[in-house]
Amino acid sequence: MTESDGIQGRYLPAEFVARMSSLLGEQYPAFIASYDKPRVYGLRINTLKCTTELFLKLTLLQLRSISWASSGFYYEEDSRPGKHLHYHTGLYYIQEPSAMAPVELLDVQPGERVLDLCAAPGGKSTQIATKLAGQGMLVTNDIHSDRVKALVKNIELSGVRNAVVLNEQPEKLKHNFAHFFDKILIDAPCSGEGMFRKEADMAKAWEPDWVERYAVMQRELLDQAASMLRSGGRMVYSTCTFSLEENEAMIAEFLDKHPEFMVVPVAAVDGLSQGYDTELSGQLNSFSDRAREAVKGTVRLWPHQLEGEGHFVAVLLHNGIASAAAQPEANLQSAAARPTMKPNKSARSLKGKHSPSLQSAGKQQSEVDLQLLYRFMTEHAPEVGISQVTLHGEHVYASPIGLPDLSGIRIIRPGWYIGTLKKQRFEPSHAMAMGLSKEDAVRTIELEATSAAAARYLRGETLEVAESAIQRRNHDIAFKGYCLVLIDGFPVGWGKWQDGILKNEYPPGWRWT
């Protein structure tokens, strides 16, 4: 490999450069010139916590709208939003602008059941969660155990309450989730050619055989996902690469194999380009006329035509004709028609103000222990509804209603992690705090983002807080106990107040340095 001509200080593999020149023709000079331009930066406002309008009034960041993402904005590199205290409240997610397009095209609606099949580190999962608006179910999965840690943290930081996090091979998932989902996102592993400007090391590591190696995985993922989509459901396949084999050719092959699917054409607006002209490539000659014509409805995001890195997106619709193996379509308007998780023999339902159904996975908890949970919720967040509790040992989760049996599946989070049952007490989790709003908590302490106290809290320090600074829902509530700590009105964690001292409950692994 050699450095290509005309690129200032950038290495691009010679094989890649030759292929792109052949593929793009007259557009190649503009494409290669884009590597001399600085990359752009984006963030997406987390509308689970804050409206776009409110955030724009609150933030000091200089932002420009991203035309294809409803809550996406460009920011200047020197703004460094990851260093701002608002980042720690989960008000936004830092995300490459082009990477926001696939979820926008998935068209998620509140109440749907959605799968993000290759989810880590969680950017697109948290974007899906904003579209669900707290309703329905998000199942988010990644096969890499090390990357799942980042996925979990981003789900919790964003305050997502209706997500299940799995760490499993898609081949295993398709048996538990046959024809289950309304929407599926496959942000497929790929050769990453679209990220060469953003990540120079990726260009240096790239090998020509990556294209076919990743194509094998992509082919399997599409087949596996197809079996988990309900009749009439919608699926988005995306990559951050340029090769025809991983993009248009992959979709054409899928369409010929799965005649029950069709491409939903995407309008070439906002800098998006029509799928590659298949008539110019002999690589697609082996596919049917239907498939070759259909892939023109896919879209490319080219770095020389818009402000973003390289992406490909295909929107696929199950045409409503069930295959022979398909199960009856679920009634999307009736929770009773959805599959329900089967409780094991040790599960019990308890009475009380907070008396959700109970699933137990691990050691059995006594009714007295569970009453500690219900008492905490009544005393600290009485308006927060929990329909179903799942126990894994002492860990307590609020699970979405309607999950199928997940026996044999590696479950990282079976729902919103709300805390642990200790011997004679319930301890709320940081994830619970991040999933609440100011209005949910009966006792809060407000800090300003510009204050030294806010920075000290995020560093894990104990704070001196006057009794008068504690906001209570009513005067009958004691000052002593758990307080939801807020920065500019948005939850950032727990503290335990007593006699003018706030014991900091901010977890060590999250602390600001």
Side-chain angles (χ1 to χ4, degrees), residues 121-411:
K124 294 179 178 66
S125 286
T126 56
Q127 188 177 0
I128 290 169
T130 66
K131 305 293 185 182
L132 287 172
Q135 303 174 50
M137 178 193 308
L138 169 61
V139 176
T140 181
N141 177 74
D142 201 275
I143 63 172
H144 300 287
S145 57
D146 53 340
R147 299 188 70 205
V148 165
K149 295 175 183 177
L151 172 60
V152 168
K153 184 172 182 178
N154 284 319
I155 288 286
E156 294 182 350
L157 177 63
S158 298
V160 180
R161 289 161 50 164
N162 57 337
V164 175
V165 182
L166 306 178
N167 174 212
E168 194 54 88
Q169 294 290 336
E171 176 67 23
K172 291 188 68 174
L173 295 182
K174 70 179 187 179
H175 302 294
N176 299 72
F177 291 105
H179 314 289
F180 182 83
F181 294 103
D182 304 306
K183 304 282 172 66
I184 296 177
L185 175 66
I186 310 169
D187 186 38
C190 67
S191 56
E193 297 166 354
M195 296 293 110
F196 285 178
R197 180 174 65 169
K198 177 184 175 184
E199 299 181 27
D201 288 344
M202 186 174 289
K204 294 175 182 177
W206 183 89
E207 296 288 346
D209 67 349
W210 279 18
V211 170
E212 184 51 40
R213 283 167 52 191
Y214 281 105
V216 172
M217 288 187 278
Q218 294 155 1
R219 193 172 292 117
E220 293 175 350
L221 287 169
L222 277 163
D223 288 343
Q224 291 155 353
S227 68
M228 292 187 273
L229 190 69
R230 71 170 178 85
S231 178
R234 187 181 183 106
M235 184 163 70
V236 162
Y237 170 87
S238 66
T239 73
C240 57
T241 200
F242 297 124
S243 73
L244 280 166
E245 295 92 331
E246 298 175 80
N247 296 327
E248 288 90 347
M250 184 60 60
I251 296 303
E253 178 182 334
F254 176 79
L255 292 173
D256 280 346
K257 188 175 180 180
H258 295 272
E260 71 274 19
F261 279 85
M262 58 181 288
V263 168
V264 178
V266 178
V269 296
D270 299 326
L272 279 64
S273 301
Q274 177 181 293
Y276 200 77
D277 187 353
T278 59
E279 295 179 0
L280 298 180
S281 175
Q283 296 180 57
L284 300 174
N285 287 342
S286 61
F287 303 116
S288 68
D289 291 343
R290 167 187 175 263
R292 293 177 61 190
E293 183 63 28
V295 296
K296 294 180 182 179
T298 63
V299 289
R300 294 267 191 158
L301 285 78
W302 292 102
H304 62 290
Q305 295 182 347
L306 48 69
E307 291 184 275
E309 306 305 323
H311 261 68
F312 169 85
V313 186
V315 180
L316 299 161
L317 182 69
H318 192 295
N319 62 21
I321 302 172
S323 64
Q327 298 173 353
E329 183 175 347
N331 179 356
L332 299 181
Q333 304 303 317
S334 172
R338 297 183 181 274
T340 57
M341 183 185 290
K342 297 179 180 179
N344 62 27
K345 294 180 181 179
S346 65
R348 304 172 310 286
S349 294
L350 302 178
K351 303 296 182 182
K353 181 174 180 63
H354 288 275
S355 32
S357 64
L358 168 67
Q359 315 297 323
S360 180
K363 69 176 184 179
Q364 184 171 330
Q365 299 290 340
S366 70
E367 186 167 328
V368 174
D369 288 336
L370 286 169
Q371 290 300 333
L372 297 173
L373 162 65
Y374 304 147
R375 187 182 308 147
F376 180 92
M377 297 301 294
T378 300
E379 294 176 355
H380 295 86
E383 304 305 319
V384 177
I386 297 175
S387 299
Q388 181 167 277
V389 166
T390 298
L391 300 178
H392 281 253
E394 65 181 9
H395 300 287
V396 185
Y397 301 86
S399 296
I401 292 293
L403 273 173
D405 181 9
L406 296 183
S407 299
I409 299 296
R410 286 194 295 273
I411 306 169

